[in-house]
Amino acid sequence: MAELAPGTIIQLTNGKSCRIIEELGRGGQGIVYKVDYDGKPHALKWYIINNKPAFYANLENNVKNGAPNESFLWPLAISSPNQYGSRGYVMKLRPQNYEEIGAFMLAKVRFASPEALIEAAIQICSAFQKLHIIGLSYQDMNDGNFFIDPSTGDVLICDNDNVAPNKVNMGIVGKSGYMAPEIVDKEAMPDRYTDYFSLGVILFILFYLNRPFEGKRVINCPCITEEAERKLFGRGCVFIMDPVDDSNRPDPRFHKNVMRRWPYFPRLLRETFIKAFGKEAIQNPTKRVMDKTWQQVLLQIRAQYVSCPHCGRKTFIEPDSEASLCINCRNRVERPIILKIGNYRIPLLEGQKIYRCQSQASMNVDLSEVYGIIIKNPTNGKLGIKNISGVTWAVTLPNGEIRNVEDGRGLPAIADLKIKFNHDVTALTTL
């Protein structure tokens, strides 16, 4: 199958064409070229393997329907057949400031802050929620599919040519260590439930910089044969942090990251991973943690990363505990007043943000849009909640008085308030 020389013109099924500029890289499926398309630099993935007609028909359908959301480097156009012995598709170029997840695992690059890490995780969950809503599954989730800006947490998802309807597979089922157990055991076809499992693996790697099933059992395995792979990653796989089964614990020589970082992040995150990779979720795909649930967990985790009232640096606190220790100054942070909105628990400390998605019954909103912020009164040092939502809140004070708080105005951050953000959601403040 011929490689494409600079200057080669590739005709596309949409009536346009692209011109090869240079090779960017290559892998097992194909070569990626930088091309001129529509007068701008783009990327062309050109296959070096033989794909069936159904593969290109599915790819053409994905081009027609468009990307589920902006995080996907989605196919924009597909080449016409019978050109240079193969076919390919055009997509946007990945900016240079985006890094593969593998670079984070190897400590070649680090997130600028926990906020950037949490933002990346939220964006990944949001992207796959959009994908699954329209009946598609990704089917080949691994650390090479995700590129992240370490300063902001912005995410780009590539290799979307394997995306297909649930239970319809284009030939690639996944990568060892990322695939759902029933895929490893060849008992099922990819669908959203297998994606849920792989999504959990990606999130675990982001937070703990180790893979969730590569513990002592993998270290002690002399050769990863197909049979060994089924034992380690199939239905018999064991989560390295399983609270009951310690047969696959992290090895201190090789898994320092997860051992150091496991207690760092909030309890809710640990409990969710234990559920996601527990025996029940391994055996029964319908019991897995869904993308929407992960999204809600991560929005709660984001709310728990606050400014320490002692040293001013950021730390995680547990809103259901009487006190937490600052991870920086080690001082005791007493539980502040908590704003309860549905399932969310928002500690009211200076600088804390209330997001619109927390105060809306629908999750179909911008997850980064701020609705309110906790500020300190410069005169008396007391904390208040400033309304920056663009709408008026109806607030019931502890004495029963009802007060309207317009956009740009504030109210004291005290216990026993009832804040009606809209017709559907009322929040309560409590000690």
Side-chain angles (χ1 to χ4, degrees), residues 110-400:
R110 300 177 186 274
F111 282 103
S113 64
E115 287 108 325
L117 164 56
I118 296 168
E119 175 63 23
I122 290 172
Q123 288 193 20
I124 289 172
C125 291
S126 299
F128 284 103
Q129 185 183 5
K130 298 291 187 183
L131 183 81
H132 295 145
I133 283 174
I134 58 177
L136 300 177
S137 53
Y138 190 81
Q139 306 193 4
D140 184 26
M141 220 179 294
N142 61 73
D143 55 1
N145 304 140
F146 300 89
F147 294 90
I148 304 172
D149 183 339
S151 61
T152 64
D154 287 334
V155 171
L156 292 173
I157 303 169
C158 66
D159 293 337
N160 297 292
D161 43 351
N162 294 306
V163 172
N166 291 318
K167 303 295 184 183
V168 176
N169 181 246
M170 293 296 113
I172 302 295
V173 294
K175 183 178 177 181
S176 178
Y178 298 84
M179 291 184 287
E182 63 271 24
I183 299 293
V184 176
D185 289 340
K186 299 180 181 179
E187 296 176 353
M189 294 291 285
D191 60 12
R192 64 187 176 101
Y193 293 106
T194 61
D195 270 7
Y196 292 160
F197 189 89
S198 301
L199 174 61
V201 173
I202 293 297
L203 295 175
F204 188 86
I205 291 172
L206 274 183
F207 281 98
Y208 301 110
L209 302 178
N210 279 124
R211 296 183 180 92
F213 296 94
E214 295 188 12
K216 290 182 178 179
R217 293 175 68 188
V218 172
I219 297 298
N220 294 331
C221 183
C223 181
I224 306 295
T225 63
E226 186 174 344
E227 178 61 27
E229 185 176 44
R230 283 198 294 269
K231 291 180 179 179
L232 296 170
F233 303 115
R235 298 278 191 181
C237 66
V238 177
F239 179 38
I240 58 175
M241 304 307 289
D242 189 294
V244 177
D245 188 341
D246 63 357
S247 64
N248 194 30
R249 281 286 182 264
D251 188 307
R253 296 171 296 170
F254 306 104
H255 306 128
K256 292 182 175 67
N257 286 333
V258 67
M259 296 179 72
R260 185 181 70 252
R261 295 167 72 93
W262 184 248
Y264 174 82
F265 293 102
R267 181 174 60 247
L268 174 62
L269 190 64
R270 296 194 295 271
E271 291 173 347
T272 308
F273 277 116
I274 289 170
K275 180 179 179 181
F277 299 135
K279 304 293 186 185
E280 186 177 35
I282 289 170
Q283 301 299 328
N284 185 349
T286 64
K287 298 297 183 181
R288 289 174 185 159
V289 178
M290 300 172 59
D291 40 34
K292 180 179 179 180
T293 302
W294 271 119
Q295 186 184 79
Q296 293 169 342
V297 167
L298 292 164
L299 293 177
Q300 175 60 48
I301 299 301
R302 181 174 68 178
Q304 292 177 225
Y305 193 59
V306 300
S307 296
C308 172
H310 303 290
C311 69
R313 298 172 68 186
K314 300 298 283 288
T315 186
F316 286 104
I317 69 169
E318 299 288 352
D320 294 326
S321 299
E322 289 186 4
S324 305
L325 285 181
C326 173
I327 58 177
N328 303 296
C329 67
R330 307 306 295 174
N331 279 312
R332 180 182 168 96
V333 180
E334 301 294 336
R335 181 173 60 196
I337 291 171
I338 302 295
L339 180 68
K340 296 183 177 181
I341 312 178
N343 293 324
Y344 295 110
R345 301 292 181 267
I346 304 173
L348 299 188
L349 290 170
E350 185 179 9
Q352 176 69 281
K353 297 172 182 176
I354 303 168
Y355 292 87
R356 183 183 176 196
C357 59
Q358 296 165 324
S359 57
Q360 292 279 341
S362 170
M363 293 294 291
N364 192 27
V365 295
D366 183 353
L367 302 182
S368 62
E369 183 180 346
V370 180
Y371 218 55
I373 189 168
I374 310 307
I375 59 174
K376 182 180 287 187
N377 188 314
T379 304
N380 57 23
K382 294 183 178 180
L383 296 177
I385 308 172
K386 184 177 181 180
N387 179 358
I388 55 173
S389 67
V391 299
T392 298
W393 299 343
V395 179
T396 304
L397 301 177
N399 62 5

Side-chain angles (χ1 to χ4, degrees), residues 13-87:
T13 59
N14 62 2
K16 299 180 181 181
S17 65
C18 66
R19 178 178 56 84
I20 304 297
I21 298 174
E22 61 180 343
E23 181 180 326
L24 295 176
R26 60 178 65 201
Q29 285 186 313
I31 304 172
V32 178
Y33 295 96
K34 183 178 181 180
V35 298
D36 179 15
Y37 172 69
D38 260 356
K40 297 179 181 179
H42 283 71
L44 170 73
K45 182 174 180 179
W46 191 252
Y47 293 101
I48 57 176
I49 59 174
N50 291 315
N51 293 306
K52 296 179 180 180
F55 176 88
Y56 292 109
N58 179 72
L59 191 58
E60 190 78 71
N61 193 54
N62 286 344
V63 170
K64 177 183 176 182
N65 293 329
N69 83 348
E70 66 279 357
S71 292
F72 292 95
L73 287 174
W74 201 251
L76 299 175
I78 185 171
S79 68
S80 301
N82 303 319
Q83 297 179 83
Y84 304 98
S86 189
R87 299 186 72 179

Side-chain angles (χ1 to χ4, degrees), residues 408-425:
R409 308 286 293 180
L411 66 152
I414 58 176
D416 299 322
L417 293 174
K418 292 182 180 180
I419 307 174
K420 195 171 184 63
F421 290 112
N422 52 56
H423 294 298
D424 301 314
V425 177

